[in-house]
Amino acid sequence: MTALGSILLLPLGPLLIPRFYLVFLLVYFTCFLYTQVNHVFKFYITASKMERVVRQWNQTQQQQHDDEGLADMENAPLYHDSSFIHAFIVPNYAEPEALLRDTIKRLANHKNAQTNYIILLAMEASETNYEQKAANLATYFKDSFLHFLITAHPTDIPGEARGKGSNVAYAARHGCAELLKRGVDRRKLILTVSDSDSSIPELYIKEVEKAFIAAEDPYFLLFAPPIFFSRNCFQVPAAVRMTDITWSAMVMSSLSNSRGLAFPCSTYSLSMVLAERVGYWDTDQDAVGEDMHMMLKCFFKTDGLARCCPIFVPINLTNVQTSGYLSNMYARFVQAKRHYHGVADLAYTLRNAFGVKQQHGALPLTATKASYYYHHFLDKLIMTTKVMEAHMIPVTSGWLMFAAVPLMQFILFPPHPTLAFTDPTENPILTSEWYATLWNIVKIITLFLPFPLFATLAIYERLHRVIDRELYHKIETRRWRHLVDYLSLPIAAWLFMTIPSSIACIKRLYRSNDQYIVAEKFFEETE
């Protein structure tokens, strides 16, 4: 309804309810500007912490090659020897084998991979020849990890909506059960959900363990890193590149939340204890946005005790890439539509935050006095606001920011009398000084709306160079000539945000289950 309402308001607002529409635009644009300015400051905080963590890691690595520095490190080590077991769930469907091999190989290069890492390769049984692909990968990494387990998610499980979430749920349940049989301690097992293209640096694992040890109760934490797009960013169209840059910037800004009320994106970690406590991942039609939904589920199933713990180490992802320009743009559009199907989380959030509580199939929780302090109205309101912002802003901002003021100007002040839709005596801007002032304020505010985005991108430009050079040790990075990418922002905003989010919202009115389609990805493996 939000998508339809935004579209219908553009012509009908000035015609039928001009006074209310003026007040609505003033409130909407003011709130939007405030939230965007707030995001700029939070993004700056996240970027600064990311740079600090990366530089501390580089200093530590340098000291390991220096005898005097090593002696100092032994007195106060930054990272302790690992006593945790890490299970990496790698869900995939019709992904190139070379891409999966490259992703897993990056984990195999970590220092403790053979003693502390487990791969849960989550295949889809509906994929043609998935057995051969899984067998090839298992053979290739035969002696690289503590365990290498393969699961095949069936297609005929009643009540399931096909997607990453249902695949992860199946792999986690069956994989964890097998690991318990093999003697793995559930309290030492950390699950990391990865995308098929996630390049997870060793520093991320170190920071997760450090945060886990430092936490008062780590079994209520979901660890979320920023996402970063630097693996193939120069091989895709500028509009695709800019879409993923702004997407990653939004994820980064959300992590700097003082109350721990944030959402992971793509890759994240949590203890097996927490996964068991909340009944693992949901698989129904409300759980399409698996990463955000899992955080919401952990929050509500623990009576508000669960929190998101930011890990300021970026996970490097690939941009959607195909062989042709137009096919690449279409593939990113397909991916955007799939992402915005996560709008189902809004209904889930409202139902659990303010609806009647129902009994669920999760493991029973032990009520504590602390839960009554944490599970209060403010936290639920913040979570609801964040979910609404994540799904309602994309579907409304494109229509209202680009068209509301010009269309209202055209309807109420037509360039020619023959184009007049309303009588001047019914125009509140002409007949009321109050509404004329509101109209001028609205126009002034709209002029400032792009500036927070410009500030965010300026911060990002510096951050991208630092991460590329100091964490990934890349020679090729973004340069001044890439600033021309910003000319594609209007195309990216409409094609990969406003239109797909509107389609996803409208589809929820008449169809809640959709075909499982993944965006095509081209990957060229390098030795």
Side-chain angles (χ1 to χ4, degrees):
M1 293 302 294
T2 304
L4 291 176
S6 299
I7 298 171
L8 293 176
L9 265 179
L10 293 176
L12 298 183
L15 289 173
L16 302 180
I17 48 173
R19 293 171 178 81
F20 171 81
Y21 189 54
L22 265 176
V23 175
F24 167 77
L25 289 181
L26 178 63
V27 173
Y28 179 89
F29 287 140
T30 302
C31 292
F32 183 85
L33 183 60
Y34 168 77
T35 58
Q36 297 310 299
V37 171
N38 188 38
H39 285 323
V40 171
F41 285 102
K42 289 184 176 180
F43 177 56
Y44 176 77
I45 294 173
T46 298
S48 300
K49 291 181 178 179
M50 289 170 62
E51 293 179 14
R52 187 183 311 123
V53 169
V54 169
R55 284 169 177 161
Q56 287 177 345
W57 168 252
N58 287 337
Q59 184 179 7
T60 301
Q61 296 297 98
Q62 183 64 35
Q63 287 176 340
Q64 288 181 349
H65 295 86
D66 181 80
D67 292 337
E68 182 179 353
L70 183 59
D72 293 339
M73 274 177 46
E74 290 174 348
N75 294 330
L78 184 61
Y79 302 107
H80 298 275
D81 291 337
S82 177
S83 61
F84 298 97
I85 300 298
H86 295 270
F88 298 88
I89 303 175
V90 187
N92 68 99
Y93 174 67
E95 302 285 4
E97 183 178 329
L99 176 61
L100 291 170
R101 183 163 49 247
D102 181 83
T103 297
I104 299 173
K105 186 187 297 184
R106 293 170 186 265
L107 293 172
N109 291 332
H110 292 189
K111 178 182 176 181
N112 297 323
Q114 290 183 314
T115 57
N116 297 78
Y117 286 12
I118 297 166
I119 298 297
L120 294 177
L121 186 60
M123 310 298 293
E124 285 284 357
S126 59
E127 180 183 345
T128 305
N129 296 325
Y130 79 89
E131 301 99 330
Q132 186 60 50
K133 181 194 292 186
N136 292 343
L137 292 170
T139 301
Y140 188 90
F141 295 104
K142 181 180 179 181
D143 299 317
S144 300
F145 299 99
L146 179 63
H147 299 296
F148 194 105
L149 305 181
I150 300 170
T151 61
H153 176 228
T155 60
D156 56 352
I157 300 179
E160 275 198 354
R162 296 186 62 208
K164 179 183 174 183
S166 56
N167 194 358
V168 168
Y170 185 87
R173 287 182 181 276
H174 290 77
C176 288
E178 177 62 26
L179 292 176
L180 292 178
K181 291 179 183 178
R182 299 189 184 192
V184 176
D185 183 359
R186 60 166 41 90
R187 296 186 65 83
K188 292 292 185 179
L189 182 59
I190 298 176
L191 305 176
T192 295
V193 178
S194 165
D195 275 353
S196 61
D197 60 341
S198 296
S199 175
I200 303 177
E202 186 174 4
L203 176 57
Y204 170 75
I205 304 302
K206 295 291 186 181
E207 285 290 315
V208 168
E209 293 179 348
K210 181 180 176 182
F212 198 97
I213 294 171
E216 181 178 352
D217 192 342
Y219 300 107
F220 286 104
L221 293 180
L222 191 149
F223 304 93
I227 58 174
F228 202 74
F229 293 88
S230 181
R231 296 181 66 177
N232 65 330
C233 57
F234 301 121
Q235 284 76 52
V236 299
V240 174
R241 191 159 53 243
M242 290 309 303
T243 300
D244 292 331
I245 284 176
T246 53
W247 185 278
S248 64
M250 288 188 291
V251 173
M252 292 179 195
S253 66
S254 71
L255 293 179
S256 291
N257 182 282
S258 59
R259 301 179 69 89
L261 301 177
F263 299 109
C265 183
S266 172
T267 302
Y268 54 96
S269 303
L270 70 162
S271 65
M272 179 183 171
V273 172
L274 179 57
E276 279 188 317
R277 185 186 295 270
V278 302
Y280 291 95
W281 283 256
D282 284 340
T283 60
D284 57 13
Q285 297 166 1
D286 284 345
V288 177
E290 147 272 339
D291 38 21
M292 175 182 283
H293 188 87
M294 187 56 174
M295 178 60 208
L296 289 170
K297 183 179 184 181
C298 290
F299 177 79
F300 290 118
K301 289 284 189 175
T302 60
D303 292 330
L305 287 174
R307 286 294 186 269
C308 181
C309 177
I311 303 297
F312 297 103
V313 180
I315 305 299
N316 205 2
L317 306 175
T318 60
N319 304 93
V320 172
Q321 181 183 357
T322 61
S323 56
Y325 181 88
L326 292 180
S327 64
N328 206 152
M329 297 286 282
Y330 178 73
R332 185 60 181 86
F333 178 75
V334 170
Q335 185 186 57
K337 285 198 302 180
R338 190 177 77 248
H339 287 166
Y340 284 114
H341 284 154
V343 69
D345 280 327
L346 180 54
Y348 175 86
T349 303
L350 293 172
R351 185 168 62 249
N352 282 274
F354 307 111
V356 178
K357 281 199 169 185
Q358 299 177 355
Q359 295 296 323
H360 299 276
L363 296 178
L365 304 179
T366 302
T368 62
K369 180 178 289 188
S371 68
Y372 293 99
Y373 291 100
Y374 278 94
H375 186 62
H376 53 70
F377 181 79
L378 181 59
D379 281 348
K380 292 189 294 183
L381 184 62
I382 292 174
M383 291 294 276
T384 303
T385 303
K386 286 183 172 293
V387 175
M388 291 182 66
E389 180 185 358
H391 292 292
M392 297 297 100
I393 291 296
V395 78
T396 58
S397 61
W399 302 109
L400 295 176
M401 285 180 61
F402 283 95
V405 171
L407 192 56
M408 190 167 185
Q409 178 77 27
F410 178 81
I411 292 175
L412 296 183
F413 303 96
H416 194 273
T418 58
L419 299 176
F421 292 94
T422 60
D423 191 286
T425 59
E426 298 178 0
N427 186 340
I429 299 175
L430 295 176
T431 59
S432 170
E433 184 178 349
W434 164 253
Y435 285 105
T437 303
L438 289 186
W439 174 238
N440 290 328
I441 294 175
V442 167
K443 290 191 292 183
I444 292 172
I445 292 176
T446 57
L447 294 177
F448 287 95
L449 292 180
F451 285 92
L453 176 60
F454 297 155
T456 297
L457 295 175
I459 298 170
Y460 178 87
E461 284 294 331
R462 181 181 183 280
L463 177 66
H464 192 107
R465 290 167 173 79
V466 171
I467 298 300
D468 264 353
R469 292 167 178 165
E470 300 188 22
L471 180 61
Y472 303 136
H473 306 293
K474 293 179 60 176
I475 298 176
E476 183 184 16
T477 186
R478 288 185 62 84
R479 302 185 186 278
W480 289 110
R481 67 175 183 271
H482 294 114
L483 295 180
V484 74
D485 291 351
Y486 298 138
L487 297 177
S488 67
L489 272 174
I491 298 174
W494 274 91
L495 190 58
F496 303 133
M497 185 182 75
T498 301
I499 295 177
S501 61
S502 298
I503 292 174
C505 286
I506 294 173
K507 274 189 175 182
R508 290 292 299 178
L509 294 176
Y510 65 92
R511 183 170 59 183
S512 57
N513 200 2
D514 217 340
Q515 188 178 0
Y516 186 20
I517 300 175
V518 296
E520 181 183 354
K521 292 179 183 176
F522 171 80
F523 182 79
E524 184 176 354
E525 190 172 23
T526 58
E527 294 297 335

